[in-house]
Amino acid sequence: MALNAASHNIPGENTGPATGQPPSVSKETAETLVNASQQDPIGQQAPGRDGGDKDAGKKVKSEKELEKERQKAEKAKKFAEKQAKKQTQTSDQPSKKQEKKQQSKETEVRPQYVEETPAGEKKILKSLDDADRKAYIPGVVESAWYAWWEKQGFFMPEYGQKALDVKDKGAFTIVIPPPNVTGSLHCGHALATSLQDTLIRWYRMKGFTTLYLPGCDHAGIATQTVVENMLRRRENKSRYDLGRQRFVERVQEWKEEYYQNITRVLKRLGASFDWTREAFTMDENLSAAVTECFVRLHDEGYIYRSNRLVNWCVKLNTALSSIEVDNKELEGRTLLDVPGYERKVEFGVITHFCYPIDGEDIKIEVATTRPETMLGDTGIAVHPNDQRYKHLVGKKARHPFVDRLLPIIADEYVDPEFGTGAVKLTPAHDPNDFNLGNKHKLDFVNILNDNGTLNAHTGKFEGQKRFDARYSVVDELTKLGLFVKKESNPMKIPLCSRSKDVVEPVIRPQWWMKMKELAAPAIKAVRDGEIKIKPESAERSYYRWMENVNDWCLSRQLWWGHQIPAYFIEVEGQRGDDSDNSLWITGRTEQEAREKAEKRFPGKKITGLRRDEDVLDTWFSSGLWPFSSLGWPKQTVDFEKLFPTSVLETGWDILFFWVARMIFLSIKLTGQVPFKEVYCHSLIRDSEGRKMSKSLGNVVDPVDIMESISLEKLHAKLLTGNLDPKEVKNATNYQKKAFPQGIPECGADALRFSLVKYTTGGSDINLDIKVIEADRRFCNKVYQATKYVLGKLEPGWRPQKIAKKTGHESLPERWILSKYTITTRDVNQALTDRQFSRAVGLIYSYFYDCLCDVYIENSKAIIQDGTAAERLSAVETLYTVLEGGLTMMAPFMPFLTEELWQRLPRRDGDETKSITIASYPEYDPVMDDRHSEAAYDLILGCSKGVRSLMAEYSIKDEGKAYVQALDATSYETAKAEVQSIRALSGKGVAQIAVLSASQPTPTGCAVFAVSASAAVFLEVKGRVNIDTEITKAQTKMKKAADGATKQRKILDASDFTDRVSEAVKAAEQQKLEDLLVEQRNYERSIEQFERLKLDDLNGVDAKARAS
C-alpha cells in the first residue's frame, strides 16, 4: 500500500512492522465493498498501487493476477513471521556485529543535495520518483522556496483597492521582539518565531493586510563586552586605545558581519518577514525616536538626575538593570571564583563583630555578610521595643578604623529576632540601608572606586580590592578584640549575567524615570481590555509589578548605545554639582540645548555645555520599538495605517522589563496602546526539565535540529565556548543520553510544528528531540499521501471550479468532507483563541486519522474497481480534502505545503501563485453532515472493536462477532452496513451479526464498548483458557481503574482549572473517559467469562447426573 507506515521511515532507519487501519483485504472483501458502493458505498478498501505511479489508473489487473498477488503476499508474510520468531528464540539482544552494522547504517550520510533552481526563481519541480524525492527529505523539500517568496514580495503588506488603505478585513501587524545582535538564536527564538509566523501567515491567508517586521537590538552591554573581548584577544587592545568614535565604528562593523547569522536562521525557519522594512535600534530614525522621547519626558519632568543606588558591575564598569543581574543561591559557606581574583572568595558566611560605644566602656554587637562594607557604615539600628538596646538609642558608636561616629537609631523595620537584633547601616551600599539612611538623615559614604578598589573614605584600607579588604578587615577587627565569630549562612549572591562578577550596590548620580504616574494609564489599559495579556497568570504578574514599580535607572556607563542627549551647564563663576538636576538640560541638538540653557540662566554667561558621556539602558530604545520601527516620530504611512500593532508574542520572563515599558511609553508618546494583545509563551527546558543555559551546556541550536548534527560534533561544540570544565563532562553525558545517535535532519517544518504543538499556554516546555522526529515522520505521511493522490489523477484532470458537494457523494465521502469542514472551523477558532496546541492537534488528527488512515485507504477500492462516476466522485473528494488540508496546514508548515500544493492542478479561474497567499479554508455548513459522521463513525468504531478483540485474544480465523446496537438509529445503520463492518474488520472474521437492544446479550464472548450507542462481542468460547483470561482481564481492569483514579485526582486538583488551557482540560478529560471505557470493557468481559465458566460447570454437573 502506498501509505503503509512501515515503508516511510527516515532513510537509514530500520523499517518497522506494518501497522495501520484497516488491514489488507481479500478478493471477496473487495468485491463486497465495490458492490456495496453502488447503493451507498462505505469503507471501500482494496489492494492499490504505489502513489507515485501516475499511470496506474489506466491498468486494471485481472482477478487471476490479484489472487496470485494475494497468495504471494500471504507466503511472504508467513516467511517473515517465521524468521522473526526464529530470531527472537535465538537471542533477545542483537550481536555486537549486528549492532555495529546497524549503527553504521543509521549514521550513513547521503550525498549533499544541490538545488538547481537559480536563487530567487520559482523552484524547479522534479519527479517525485527520483532518488531525492521518493521519500520526504527536509533539505530537498525546503530548498529554493524562501528566496522566491521574498523576491515575489509575498511578505510585504498588501493594501486594498484605494492606494495605501488596508484591506477590508483590516490590518494585522507583528514586530519581532528584536533579538540581541550578539546572540545565536536558540530554541526559545525558534518557538517565538514559529508562533508569530503562524499567526502572520494565517491572517495573510485570511485576507488581512499583514506586516511581520524584522530587526535586532543593539544590546549595549552584551555587544560591547563581546567586541572588547575580541579586541583583547586579537589585537591586545582596549576600547581606550581606539577612542570612543573608532570603537563605535568597530562595533558597527562587527554588527554588520554577525547579524547575517541571525538573518540566515530566521529565513531558514521560514519566517515571512518583510525584509525591506528591517529595523535596528541604532538606525537613524530609531535613534531620533530615542532622542525625542528623552527630551520630551525630561522637559515634562518625568526624567530627572539623582544620586541613588544602582547595581554596579566592577568588571564592566557600568550600572546594570535588574534583568542583567542573576541571583545565585548559596546554602552556606561557599568559595566562588570572582573575576580579577587569583584565589576563590568566601561567601555564605555571617561575621559578628562589635562597635565600641563612644565615651563608654561597652560595645554593641552587629553582624554582616559583607565585612568590607563596615568601612562605609554611618549608623546602627535597633527595634524601639528591644529591651536589650533601649538604653543605647540616641548614643553613638565609634568606628574603629576611620574618624566617624555612628548614631544608634530605633526603627520598627529592624527584626529583633534576626542576628543580634542590632543592624549596621551602610546607606551608600545597601538598598534597605539606603531607605533607612534617607529616613533618619544619615551620612552616605561611598567606599568604592569604579574599578572595585577602596577609596579615600576607607582610611588605611584605601587601594585594596574589595574582596581582599574582606579578609584584612576581619584581621584588623581580630587584632582590636572586636571580632566575635563567623558562621555559615544561607544567602543570595547577585552576579552580573554578562561577566559573572559580583554586583555591588553603589551610589552615584544617574538619570532616572519617574514611574508611578506613567504606570497608572498602563495598568488601566489592561484592566479596561484595551490590551489582553495571555495567559491570565502573566496578567496577574503584570499588575503585581506595575502596582509596586520603582523609578527606572536609565544610565549606562558604556560607549556602545544611544548617548544621552543631556548637557551639563557650565555657568561662569559657579561650580556645579554633577548630581544637581537643575544644572542639566536636554536637546535634540546641541544648539537646542544651548538655547534652553540661556533661557534657564538669563543674564549669565554660559561658558560651556558638557554632554553626558553615558548611554541609555538598552531597554529604553526597546521600549519604543513597536512605534519607532514603524517610523515614529515621523508620521509615516506604516505608522498611520499599521499602528497600533496587533500582537506581541514574547516570553513571560521579560514581561516587566520590556512589555510594561512599551505600554507606558506608547501611551505617553503616541496616545495609543502599542499592541492589542500580549501572548506570553512558555520557557523551553531540556528533556530533563532543566533550563537551557550556556553554563550547563544543554542549549540546543535550532539549526542543528533542522539540518542534523552528529554526536561527535555536539561534543565538539561544548569545547568552543566558555563552559566550565566540570560542566563539560556533565553536558557530554547529557548529550549521550538525549542524542545517542546525534540529531537527525528534521527540517524547519517539523521543528515549527512541534514547537507550536508544545504551546499549551501552561507550564514550561521540556523539549524532546524524539517529538520533533515524530513530527518529521508526520511530514512524510503528508508527503506520501499527496504522492498517492497525484498518482490517481488522470493527465489533464482539473477539479471542479468550486469546492462543494455534488449530491452524489458516498457515505465515506460525506464523512471526510464533514470532518474537513468541521476541522476548518475548529482550527480557525483555535487560532482566534490562541490555542496553538489545539490547532496543531486538530490538523494532525484530521490528516493522520481521518484523511490518511481512513479515507485514502478506503477510497482505493472504488478508484480501482468502481464505476466511472464513483471513481470521479472519489477523486474529486480526494482533491478537495487534500488541497484544503494542505492549505489549512500552510501557516504551520510553509515549505512542505508549498512543495506539494504547487504540484496539484488548480481549479478553473484560480491563478494564485503561492499557497502563501492562497485563501485559508473556511467552514462550509453544507459539508457539515453530522448524520453521516455518526453513521460512519459507528461503522469504524465497530470494525475497530472487532479487530481489537481479535488481536487481544489471538483469534486468527473463523471469528464470530456481534454488534449490539443500543438505539434504533444505530441499529438501522449497523444492519444496513454490516458487510462494510465485516470488510473493515479484517479477513479473519467469518461472521458478524447485528443485534438490537431488545435482543439477548451474546454469551461466551469478550466485549468492546464502541460508544454509548453500540457494543461489539467476539465469541471466544472454546478458543481460550477461561481462568487465564479472567486473570489477565482482572489485571488490566485494575490498571485501568488505577489510571482512572489517578486521572480524577488531576482533574479535581484545586488549581487545575486555573493553570491549564481549555485544550489541556479537554485532553485530560478524554483520558479519563477512555480509561473508564477500558475499565468497563474488562468488567463486562469478566462477567461474560464468569458466566461461561459457570455454564461449563453446570454442563459438567448435568452430564454427571445423567450418567
Side-chain angles (χ1 to χ4, degrees), residues 105-322:
K105 184 179 179 182
E106 288 178 350
T107 55
E108 185 179 335
V109 179
R110 70 172 188 275
Q112 180 75 30
Y113 172 75
V114 179
E115 178 56 60
E116 297 178 14
T117 305
E121 298 301 308
K122 187 172 182 181
K123 187 172 183 177
I124 299 169
L125 296 178
K126 296 194 173 183
S127 169
L128 292 176
D129 292 325
D130 73 15
D132 286 324
R133 293 167 180 82
K134 282 185 177 179
Y136 169 72
I137 300 174
V140 176
V141 168
E142 295 175 1
S143 65
W145 288 119
Y146 196 95
W148 178 65
W149 290 333
E150 191 178 353
K151 186 176 180 181
Q152 291 294 311
F154 294 146
F155 302 158
M156 299 176 72
E158 187 178 348
Y159 288 94
Q161 293 181 349
K162 291 180 67 176
L164 303 181
D165 267 358
V166 299
K167 293 182 179 179
D168 293 340
K169 287 274 188 82
F172 186 84
T173 307
I174 293 180
V175 292
I176 186 177
N180 287 352
V181 68
T182 57
S184 298
L185 296 190
H186 49 67
C187 284
H189 292 107
L191 169 62
T193 303
S194 299
L195 293 172
Q196 292 159 23
D197 194 51
T198 294
L199 287 175
I200 281 288
R201 287 178 177 272
W202 179 58
Y203 276 99
R204 183 184 292 122
M205 295 174 74
K206 286 174 73 67
F208 286 72
T209 297
T210 57
L211 172 62
Y212 190 14
L213 191 144
C216 69
D217 191 283
H218 66 278
I221 292 178
T223 305
Q224 179 160 318
T225 302
V226 168
V227 176
E228 283 196 89
N229 289 339
M230 181 188 69
L231 278 173
R232 193 176 301 112
R233 286 196 310 272
R234 296 180 183 178
E235 304 175 28
N236 195 29
K237 291 181 180 178
S238 72
R239 58 173 158 148
Y240 301 102
D241 294 324
L242 271 65
R244 183 165 189 154
Q245 183 177 347
R246 181 60 188 135
F247 176 77
V248 170
E249 289 172 357
R250 288 289 293 272
V251 178
Q252 187 71 35
E253 292 167 6
W254 179 89
K255 172 258 175 187
E256 294 299 332
E257 176 186 346
Y258 200 89
Y259 182 56
Q260 297 308 313
N261 297 331
I262 294 176
T263 302
R264 184 181 71 84
V265 177
L266 291 173
K267 290 183 176 183
R268 183 66 186 84
L269 281 164
S272 55
F273 290 109
D274 179 1
W275 293 100
T276 67
R277 286 171 163 82
E278 185 177 7
F280 175 50
T281 49
M282 289 187 66
D283 283 347
E284 182 180 351
N285 190 73
L286 278 77
S287 295
V290 168
T291 299
E292 178 67 27
C293 175
F294 191 93
V295 171
R296 191 183 297 185
L297 295 185
H298 180 264
D299 287 348
E300 295 180 22
Y302 290 102
I303 292 177
Y304 63 97
R305 182 87 168 170
S306 181
N307 213 19
R308 298 179 60 179
L309 275 183
V310 296
N311 295 311
W312 186 260
C313 175
V314 169
K315 181 173 176 57
L316 300 180
N317 258 279
T318 183
L320 303 173
S321 69
S322 298

Side-chain angles (χ1 to χ4, degrees), residues 927-1077:
M927 290 185 183
D928 189 343
D929 187 346
R930 301 307 172 90
H931 176 75
S932 295
E933 270 201 64
Y936 201 55
D937 282 341
L938 177 67
I939 293 164
L940 293 173
C942 290
S943 61
K944 175 186 175 183
V946 175
R947 291 196 309 276
S948 178
L949 291 173
M950 294 278 287
E952 176 84 18
Y953 297 100
S954 302
I955 294 176
K956 307 293 184 185
D957 52 31
E958 298 302 316
K960 187 175 181 182
Y962 303 86
V963 174
Q964 186 162 41
L966 305 179
D967 58 61
T969 302
S970 299
Y971 176 70
E972 293 300 326
T973 300
K975 189 175 180 182
E977 307 297 344
V978 64
Q979 292 304 320
S980 298
I981 297 173
R982 179 185 169 189
L984 292 169
S985 297
K987 61 185 179 181
V989 180
Q991 178 183 342
I992 292 183
V994 178
L995 308 176
S996 68
S998 60
Q999 291 179 279
T1001 299
T1003 57
C1005 297
V1007 188
F1008 185 98
V1010 176
S1011 65
S1013 303
V1016 169
F1017 299 82
L1018 179 68
E1019 192 171 281
V1020 295
K1021 183 178 180 180
R1023 307 187 70 166
V1024 297
N1025 183 300
I1026 300 299
D1027 289 329
T1028 301
E1029 295 303 328
I1030 288 175
T1031 302
K1032 283 166 60 178
Q1034 286 173 336
T1035 301
K1036 292 178 180 179
M1037 182 183 71
K1038 184 178 184 305
K1039 183 178 179 181
D1042 291 344
T1045 300
K1046 183 178 179 181
Q1047 194 63 20
R1048 278 197 190 93
K1049 289 181 180 178
I1050 293 173
L1051 293 169
D1052 293 341
S1054 58
D1055 61 340
F1056 178 77
T1057 303
D1058 294 333
R1059 64 185 171 85
V1060 301
S1061 66
E1062 290 300 323
V1064 173
K1065 291 176 196 172
E1068 295 299 327
Q1069 183 63 40
Q1070 187 60 50
K1071 286 181 187 177
L1072 175 61
E1073 292 172 7
D1074 291 344
L1075 287 165
L1076 292 174
V1077 168

Side-chain angles (χ1 to χ4, degrees), residues 340-352:
Y341 293 82
E342 293 183 2
R343 64 174 181 174
K344 290 179 181 289
V345 179
E346 182 181 60
F347 295 91
V349 295
I350 188 165
T351 301
H352 291 247

Side-chain angles (χ1 to χ4, degrees), residues 411-483:
D411 197 288
E412 292 184 349
Y413 169 80
V414 178
D415 180 2
E417 303 299 323
F418 181 76
T420 66
V423 179
K424 61 182 281 296
L425 299 177
T426 321
H429 293 284
D430 183 274
N432 297 318
D433 296 358
F434 178 86
N435 294 330
L436 287 174
N438 277 323
K439 181 178 178 180
H440 297 278
K441 296 182 172 27
L442 299 178
D443 292 334
F444 285 71
V445 178
N446 178 24
I447 63 171
L448 288 176
N449 296 312
D450 289 352
N451 64 0
T453 59
L454 301 188
N455 62 25
H457 294 140
T458 60
K460 63 181 179 181
F461 299 94
E462 182 181 0
Q464 291 189 24
K465 294 199 291 187
R466 54 187 167 145
F467 294 127
D468 289 340
R470 172 166 295 189
Y471 295 99
S472 56
V473 163
V474 171
D475 289 344
E476 292 298 320
L477 286 170
T478 303
K479 291 177 184 177
L480 296 174
L482 298 175
F483 174 77

Side-chain angles (χ1 to χ4, degrees), residues 855-915:
Y855 182 69
I856 284 180
E857 293 296 334
N858 296 347
S859 70
K860 291 178 181 179
I862 296 302
I863 292 174
Q864 180 170 301
D865 299 318
T867 67
E870 290 163 353
R871 287 199 301 270
L872 180 61
S873 182
V875 169
E876 190 72 55
T877 299
L878 260 182
Y879 178 90
T880 296
V881 296
L882 173 68
E883 194 269 348
L886 291 175
T887 311
M888 196 189 314
M889 194 186 294
F892 305 89
M893 294 185 170
F895 295 105
L896 174 63
T897 53
E898 185 77 272
E899 177 87 10
L900 300 177
W901 185 87
Q902 290 285 356
R903 296 174 183 272
L904 293 174
R906 303 263 65 79
R907 298 185 187 276
D908 286 339
D910 182 5
E911 297 180 358
T912 308
K913 288 185 177 181
S914 166
I915 199 170

Side-chain angles (χ1 to χ4, degrees), residues 800 802 804-810 813 817 873 876-877 926:
Q800 61 181 350
I802 301 173
K804 63 179 182 179
K805 292 175 76 171
T806 64
H808 302 294
E809 287 82 8
S810 64
E813 287 177 74
L817 287 170
S873 182
E876 190 72 55
T877 299
V926 177

Side-chain angles (χ1 to χ4, degrees), residues 567-574 582-583 585 590 593-610:
Y567 301 81
F568 184 76
I569 306 169
E570 296 174 344
V571 182
E572 187 177 45
Q574 291 185 17
S582 67
L583 294 178
I585 204 75
E590 185 172 342
R594 181 169 294 278
E595 291 170 3
K596 286 183 177 180
E598 289 171 350
K599 286 182 181 180
R600 180 173 294 183
F601 294 95
K604 294 188 178 181
K605 185 178 180 181
I606 307 299
T607 58
L609 292 179
R610 174 171 52 83

Side-chain angles (χ1 to χ4, degrees), residues 489-760:
N489 181 67
M491 64 182 296
K492 292 180 182 179
I493 302 296
L495 300 177
C496 172
S497 62
R498 303 293 177 188
S499 68
K500 305 307 174 188
D501 197 4
V502 177
V503 171
E504 291 288 344
V506 299
I507 191 166
R508 59 182 300 136
Q510 304 276 272
W511 290 102
W512 299 82
M513 184 183 290
K514 295 177 182 176
M515 291 299 303
K516 291 292 184 185
E517 188 176 336
L518 292 171
I523 294 170
K524 186 176 185 296
V526 176
R527 287 206 194 280
D528 292 350
E530 285 188 81
I531 300 174
K532 292 183 173 64
I533 299 180
K534 298 177 181 179
E536 289 183 8
S537 57
E539 183 178 327
R540 291 193 294 269
S541 297
Y542 172 83
Y543 290 136
R544 189 164 53 249
W545 188 76
M546 290 292 277
E547 288 166 356
N548 297 282
V549 68
N550 295 314
D551 285 1
W552 175 13
C553 176
L554 304 176
S555 304
R556 297 293 179 270
Q557 289 64 47
L558 305 170
W559 286 359
W560 174 246
H562 296 100
Q563 189 173 355
I564 295 173
Y567 301 81
F568 184 76
I569 306 169
E570 296 174 344
V571 182
E572 187 177 45
Q574 291 185 17
R575 185 177 180 182
D577 182 355
D578 189 67
S579 63
D580 186 348
N581 188 53
S582 67
L583 294 178
W584 286 87
I585 204 75
T586 61
R588 295 164 185 83
T589 63
E590 185 172 342
Q591 180 58 36
E592 180 185 337
R594 181 169 294 278
E595 291 170 3
K596 286 183 177 180
E598 289 171 350
K599 286 182 181 180
R600 180 173 294 183
F601 294 95
K604 294 188 178 181
K605 185 178 180 181
I606 307 299
T607 58
L609 292 179
R610 174 171 52 83
R611 186 169 182 178
D612 192 338
E613 292 189 352
D614 290 352
V615 300
L616 286 162
D617 179 6
T618 298
W619 295 107
F620 189 93
S621 54
S622 299
L624 311 179
W625 181 254
F627 44 99
S628 63
S629 58
L630 291 172
W632 186 92
K634 297 175 184 176
Q635 290 298 309
T636 62
V637 173
D638 283 355
F639 179 66
E640 182 183 345
K641 301 293 184 181
L642 302 177
F643 185 81
T645 65
S646 305
V647 174
L648 175 74
E649 194 287 328
T650 187
W652 56 263
D653 53 334
I654 56 174
L655 184 66
F656 323 125
F657 306 106
W658 185 44
V659 179
R661 287 166 177 163
M662 284 189 286
I663 294 174
F664 71 70
L665 285 172
S666 179
I667 292 173
K668 177 62 184 172
L669 296 170
T670 73
Q672 302 180 79
V673 294
F675 27 71
K676 299 158 192 171
E677 179 185 342
V678 177
Y679 184 90
C680 296
H681 64 243
S682 301
L683 183 71
I684 290 191
R685 299 181 179 274
D686 68 15
S687 56
E688 295 180 354
R690 299 177 302 165
K691 183 177 179 180
M692 285 194 180
S693 167
K694 290 180 182 178
S695 62
L696 293 176
N698 63 344
V699 174
V700 180
D701 187 337
V703 174
D704 292 339
I705 298 175
M706 291 188 283
E707 299 181 356
S708 84
I709 187 171
S710 67
L711 182 61
E712 291 73 21
K713 288 183 178 178
L714 281 172
H715 291 342
K717 273 191 169 187
L718 297 175
L719 305 176
T720 60
N722 297 316
L723 190 60
D724 189 309
K726 298 175 192 172
E727 290 296 341
V728 170
K729 183 177 180 182
N730 294 334
T732 301
N733 290 334
Y734 168 73
Q735 288 179 342
K736 288 178 181 178
K737 183 178 177 182
F739 320 112
Q741 303 298 329
I743 300 177
E745 179 189 13
C746 295
D749 285 327
L751 175 60
R752 287 170 60 121
F753 200 72
S754 296
L755 292 173
V756 176
K757 179 169 63 179
Y758 269 122
T759 305
T760 61

